[in-house]
Structures are given as C-alpha cells and as structure tokens.
Amino acid sequence: MGGEVQAAEAAVEAVAGGIHVPYLREVIVFLIAAVAVMPLFHWFRASTVLGYLFIGAVIGPHGFALIAEGIGLSEIGELGVVFLLFTIGLELSWQRLRSMRTYVLGLGGAQVLLCGLALAGVFLLTGLSGPASTILGFALALSSTAIVTQLLIERGEFAAQPGRIAFSILLMQDLAVVPILVMVSIFSAQAQGGDEVNVFSLAGMATLKAAVAVLLILTVGRYVLRWVYGVVARTRNPELFLALSLLAALLTAVATGAAGLSMALGAFLAGLLLSDTEFRPQIETDIQPFKSLLLGLFFISVGLGMDFTVLRDSFGAVLGLIAMFLALKTVLIGLLTFSFGLSKLCSLRTGLLLASGGEFAFVVISGAATGGVLPLEVAHVVQLAAAISMALTPGLAVLGGWLQTRLEGKEGERERNADTLAEGLEAHVIIAGYGRVGRIIGRLLREQQVPYVALDLNAALSRAARTRGELVYYGDAARTEVLERVGIERASAVVVTLDDSAAASRLVRALRTKWADVPIFARARDREHMLDLEEAGASAVVHEALEASLQLSGHVLKAIGAPNDATTTLIDRVRGEVYERQVAAKDE
C-alpha cells in the first residue's frame, strides 16, 4: 500500500509540480482518488456520500497525507451544497413550500429548540460552563443538509413522507444558524471581557440583515430574474445561459451568507423563484455536472477533517459522545414527529435520518473555540464526533429502511390499508391503479420529487412497493372513504390507470360528483372508453391504443429513412385530428 501511495504522490507531482494554480494539486488528488475508489462503491451499490467521505479520510492529513490540509477543498466544496439546494428549489414550487409550512416552522422550530436544550443539559452535567454547553448543544442539534438531501435523492425517497419531513426540518435548521451564530458572538465577547455587550442590539441587527437579504432576493428574483433569463434565452447562446444560471445561484448564496444566513438557503430561494418558469428544465441540466462534482469535493473535505489522533487519544469520549447524541436526537425527533400526527414508522425513519451532526457544527464550534468560549481539546473531540456521525448517516438511512420493512411485515393486514402515513401529504398526486402504467407515472413523479400515493387491489404488488419505500396501499380507489384516507381533499390531481374500463369510468364519476374541483387524468383503452371517461368528467384522457400506434408508426417511419421533422409533424397532425374528432363526436 505504501508503494501505491508513493506512486500516486509522484504522479500528482509530475502533473502539477511546475504549475502554480491555487489548489490544483488538491483537485488532481481528488479526481484520481474518485476515479480509483468510487467505482468500488458503485459496484457494491453503496452510497456515493460514504465513498467520498472514505476517500477524504484516506487521502487527508490524518490518513496517507496526500493532501496536507483541506481548507481549500472545503471552500470550493461548499459551492456543491449551494448548487444542491439551488436544484432542490427548482424542483419545488411555492405551493408545495406553503403546504410544508407547518413542518418547517412548527416541527423544525421545535426540533432545534428541544434538541439544543436537551444536548446542552447533557454537556452541563459533564462540568462544562453554561455558555460552552449551550453552544455545543445547539451545534449538534443541527444535521447535515447536504448529506441527508443527497441520500434521499440517491434512494429515490425525497418525495416520500420521511424525506419531505426531514427536508422541512433541515430548512428550519438553516434558518436557525443566524441566532446560533449571534449566540456565539455574544458568548465570545463576554469571554473576552466585554461585559457591556448589548444582546438586543446584536440580535436585532442580525435579524434585520437576514430579513433584508431574503426580501431583496425575493423582490429582485420575482421582478428581474425571469426577465433577464428571457433576454439571455433570446440570444440562443448556451454558454451565456449557463453563466447566468451560475451567477443566479452564487449571487443569492453570497447575499444570504453576507447577512449571516446559510449560503445554501439563498441558493434555495433562487431555485424556488425559477421553479415555475419555462427555463427550469434547461437550468437543471446545466447545473447538474457542477453540483455533482463540487458536492463530492464537499464530502471529501468532511473526510479530510477526521483527525484520528484525537480518536486514538480520546477513544472513549468520542464514541460515547457519538452514541449519546445519536440516540438522544433519534428519540427526540421521533417523538416530535409523532406528536405532529405522523406515523410511528415515519417518525422513526425521520429521527434516524437527522440523528447525525451537520457541517454547521464545525463553523459554530470553531467560532466558539476561537472566541474563548470552548476549551480547544473539547472542541476537537466534539468536531471529530460530528464528522464521524456524518459518515454514519448512510448507514442510519439503510437501518431506517430495514426497520420499516421488518415492522411493516409484522403488521399483517394493516399495511394493506391507507393509514396515517398519508395524513401529512399536501398537494400530492393520487394514482388509482399501480400496474405497468401507474408504476411508470410514479417513477416520473419520484424523479421530480412530487409526492404521490397509489392505490391498487393487488396485495402482493402493494406490499412489494411498500418495501421499496413507495407509498402504495391495498385499497379500492372507487370507495370514497379510501380516497379520504389518502387525502383526496388536499390532492393536486388524480390519475386513473385502472385496467377495468367500467371501474375506471365509475371512479371518474364518483370523483367528479363528490370532489368537483380536483383535476382527473385518465387512461382510455379505446374510442368508446375515451368518450365515456370524458362524459364522466375527466379533465384529460389519453387514448392508449392511439398513442401506442403513433409511437410505433414513428419508429417504422424513421427506420425506413423518413425525415425526423416530417415524421414528428405527421404524428402530431394525426394525433390532433383524432382527438378533435373525439371532441366533435362527444358534442354531437
């Protein structure tokens, strides 16, 4: 192994030795390590987050020392978190964010306050001072937005209920960074002899700066950003469009960072402002490579900070601290989530997802140590415990999924009925029928982080889907009481994909009779079925036989050499003519 490390060092020096570019050596080491190690984690289907953390620990100053210090990579890697939250904002909408407000403000606020005070109480019992205990308690109350969010996306669970609840709490944690940093400033000033510190002045100025930054972003974004995108789009210059997207994410991040807020929060707001525009798909495509690469750098920088000499010297203290705050946060977050009306399984999984520490713990604890609030040796122990706990997050997510599978398997008939897991859904889509068509629709909704719940009368199918973490229940969608239990009053749409034509028509009529305003999208098997569904009140109907015929015809025409543009125009014309005839026949 030593020879391989020396060979890697020699390769890096050969490439970067005569070139003086900031952090070039570190970036080359990162790329070599990623290419060498990440395929192994992909082969074993392990989390990429865990892979990057492992790489950081191996190549860092406390591993084989291929990188002496990780400050540069950490600074660059923070941009990965910025772009991650920017893309998440793009995939959400104001309507969906408003539907999450109870969990963001209520559950998220309660989590930060309760976990912070409970952990502060534990540190106080160990003999630390009140200010030091308070700083450590609230620092460890925060979780890693970057790691948890990336894990949810990798596992396809961002739109599932535990994922949405966890993300709501993470948003509130990002907002809580402001008062926590103000608290660090106050305690640091007092520790350095500043008895005349005006607490209200500091808190007021920090709140004012944060409010002005958010208001400025929302105002400029609403009235200026879309117009600027329109102007740039008319140039048809992809490089200029990409530059504007990078600028939008970075400027908003800098604005909130300068106001004392999380930089990622500003980028999230920018993405949210662009989520309802016609430019969203292109922006997502352009940002994706930057997000993935820079996020990998961020995770590696976390791995670089794992000082194993501290682990060697304070092994019992580090492991005991990790066990204490993981258990305490899991229990408290689980109980809080359950108290907000969510199921036991959802509460357990949310608690496990958010049990570990977060990246802001390093910022908060470093500031407190520099300000004389914390002893340096205590700061090192807590920071290492936070870093190791972040590396354990993928395992905790897997544990949550395994526990859900085992516990649901013991519930027997209960998993066949729509239960309280669906009670917290807002602006979701209900899929009636989870066969081949329903599963494809569900997959597309998951990839766009749109929450959905599906109903099907195939018990084996619903059970298999539930083990994969999908919200699929055994139930008859034609029964109004079943629809009520999956939140039909709060649903944004219903998709009817039932194979039984008569049952599909009955369902559409029942929906339109009791819930007149809900949009209903249905699949028709033939012309007669399409007319019947439209008469029953469906908002839009897709002619299954027609669409299959058109797609097949398109492949045939392209295969025999017909021009692509002519083929597309022909298919669109035939589709339009058929649907127009259906509407005319219905009117007659």
Side-chain angles (χ1 to χ4, degrees):
M1 186 70 180
E4 295 175 359
V5 173
Q6 291 175 357
E9 290 179 332
V12 172
E13 291 298 336
V15 174
I19 304 174
H20 301 288
V21 177
Y23 308 125
L24 178 61
R25 183 180 187 279
E26 288 80 358
V27 171
I28 291 175
V29 170
F30 156 65
L31 293 173
I32 292 174
V35 171
V37 177
M38 290 308 295
L40 294 176
F41 283 81
H42 179 75
W43 177 269
F44 290 107
R45 297 183 178 180
S47 168
T48 57
V49 173
L50 189 59
Y52 283 123
L53 292 172
F54 173 78
I55 290 173
V58 170
I59 68 177
H62 311 294
F64 290 107
L66 294 178
I67 294 180
E69 54 88 20
I71 296 177
L73 284 184
S74 177
E75 292 172 348
I76 300 173
E78 286 179 9
L79 297 180
V81 184
V82 167
F83 289 130
L84 173 66
L85 269 293
F86 182 64
T87 56
I88 289 173
L90 285 171
E91 292 162 354
L92 287 173
S93 65
W94 285 109
Q95 179 186 6
R96 288 177 60 195
L97 189 62
R98 281 195 298 269
S99 71
M100 297 162 61
R101 63 186 180 276
T102 301
Y103 299 124
V104 174
L105 300 176
L107 180 56
Q111 183 273 324
V112 173
L113 187 62
L114 184 60
C115 289
L117 292 175
L119 289 167
V122 173
F123 283 113
L124 199 60
L125 292 175
T126 64
L128 289 173
S129 67
S133 300
T134 304
I135 293 296
L136 291 178
F138 280 94
L140 291 182
L142 306 179
S143 308
S144 175
T145 301
I147 292 180
V148 174
T149 306
Q150 182 65 18
L151 280 174
L152 291 171
I153 293 172
E154 285 181 5
R155 294 169 60 85
E157 296 177 349
F158 190 85
Q161 194 170 48
R164 293 186 303 108
I165 300 302
F167 183 69
S168 300
I169 296 174
L170 289 169
L171 279 180
M172 188 62 210
Q173 289 182 359
D174 281 346
L175 290 171
V177 170
V178 174
I180 293 174
L181 290 177
V182 170
M183 188 165 53
V184 171
S185 300
I186 294 170
F187 289 151
S188 297
Q190 290 176 341
Q192 294 169 6
D195 295 328
E196 301 299 326
V197 175
N198 192 326
V199 175
F200 295 104
S201 175
L202 279 174
M205 284 300 299
T207 304
L208 180 62
K209 286 172 60 179
V212 169
V214 172
L215 186 63
L216 186 63
I217 289 171
L218 296 180
T219 303
V220 172
R222 182 176 181 181
Y223 295 106
V224 177
L225 198 55
R226 185 167 186 167
W227 176 80
V228 174
Y229 264 98
V231 172
V232 171
R234 284 193 289 273
T235 67
R236 298 182 179 275
N237 187 323
E239 291 82 9
L240 188 58
F241 192 90
L242 170 60
L244 178 59
S245 298
L246 296 175
L247 183 63
L250 293 175
L251 273 182
T252 51
V254 169
T256 52
L261 286 165
S262 158
M263 290 178 64
L265 182 63
F268 172 77
L269 291 175
L272 200 63
L273 288 167
L274 293 167
S275 62
D276 293 326
T277 69
E278 64 272 26
F279 309 111
R280 190 190 75 175
Q282 186 61 46
I283 297 172
E284 287 180 318
T285 303
D286 290 343
I287 289 291
Q288 183 63 35
F290 294 92
K291 182 200 78 172
S292 301
L293 189 62
L294 293 173
L295 202 57
L297 271 175
F298 170 77
F299 295 138
I300 283 183
S301 70
V302 174
L304 292 174
M306 294 184 183
D307 188 349
F308 296 105
T309 60
V310 175
L311 181 62
R312 180 195 62 204
D313 298 337
S314 308
F315 184 79
V318 172
L319 291 191
L321 179 58
I322 293 172
M324 180 275 293
F325 78 79
L326 286 182
L328 187 59
K329 286 180 69 176
T330 300
V331 171
L332 291 178
I333 295 173
L335 290 174
L336 278 173
T337 306
F338 184 70
S339 70
F340 271 72
L342 299 161
S343 72
K344 294 178 182 177
L345 288 177
C346 177
S347 302
L348 174 62
R349 294 201 64 185
T350 304
L352 288 170
L353 276 171
L354 300 179
S356 57
E359 52 270 12
F360 282 116
F362 303 107
V363 177
V364 173
I365 294 172
S366 295
T370 303
V373 181
L374 272 176
L376 199 57
E377 59 274 14
V378 174
H380 287 163
V381 169
V382 179
Q383 284 180 323
L384 179 61
I388 294 175
S389 74
M390 291 167 70
L392 295 176
T393 308
L396 294 173
V398 172
L399 175 62
W402 179 80
L403 288 174
Q404 178 174 356
T405 302
R406 293 296 299 270
L407 294 174
E408 284 188 338
K410 292 179 181 179
E411 288 179 355
E413 294 297 317
R414 285 185 58 194
E415 75 169 359
R416 301 184 180 184
N417 301 301
D419 53 21
T420 54
L421 277 176
E423 291 181 2
L425 289 176
E426 296 277 356
H428 57 293
V429 176
I430 297 175
I431 303 175
Y434 207 62
R436 61 189 190 282
V437 177
R439 288 196 295 273
I440 292 173
I441 294 171
R443 176 184 174 183
L444 294 175
L445 292 175
R446 281 198 308 276
E447 291 189 359
Q448 289 298 311
Q449 280 79 56
V450 177
Y452 72 91
V453 58
L455 296 167
D456 200 282
L457 286 172
N458 185 326
L461 184 150
S462 64
R463 183 182 299 111
R466 290 284 291 277
T467 60
R468 296 192 299 269
E470 301 172 42
L471 218 57
V472 181
Y473 297 100
Y474 177 90
D476 185 359
R479 296 176 59 185
T480 57
E481 61 269 24
V482 174
L483 290 169
E484 288 172 349
R485 295 192 68 183
V486 294
I488 181 66
E489 298 88 354
R490 304 181 303 277
S492 59
V494 177
V495 182
V496 180
T497 68
L498 300 177
D499 288 325
D500 188 329
S501 301
S505 298
R506 287 196 304 271
L507 172 57
V508 173
R509 285 190 177 87
L511 285 167
R512 189 53 71 214
T513 299
K514 189 161 185 179
W515 297 283
D517 297 330
V518 64
I520 305 170
F521 304 94
R523 152 202 174 203
R525 301 188 68 85
D526 49 39
R527 176 180 180 277
E528 290 74 21
H529 188 210
M530 180 178 179
L531 292 174
D532 191 29
L533 288 169
E534 289 178 340
E535 184 180 352
S539 306
V541 182
V542 174
H543 193 311
E544 185 181 60
L546 170 65
E547 295 298 334
S549 301
L550 292 175
Q551 291 294 323
L552 188 58
S553 300
H555 286 298
V556 172
L557 290 171
K558 290 176 183 177
I560 61 177
N564 288 340
D565 293 343
T567 299
T568 302
T569 301
L570 175 62
I571 289 175
D572 290 342
R573 180 172 61 80
V574 172
R575 178 186 286 113
E577 290 175 353
V578 172
Y579 280 112
E580 285 173 7
R581 286 201 298 271
Q582 303 292 1
V583 173
K586 176 185 175 183
D587 293 338
E588 294 174 0

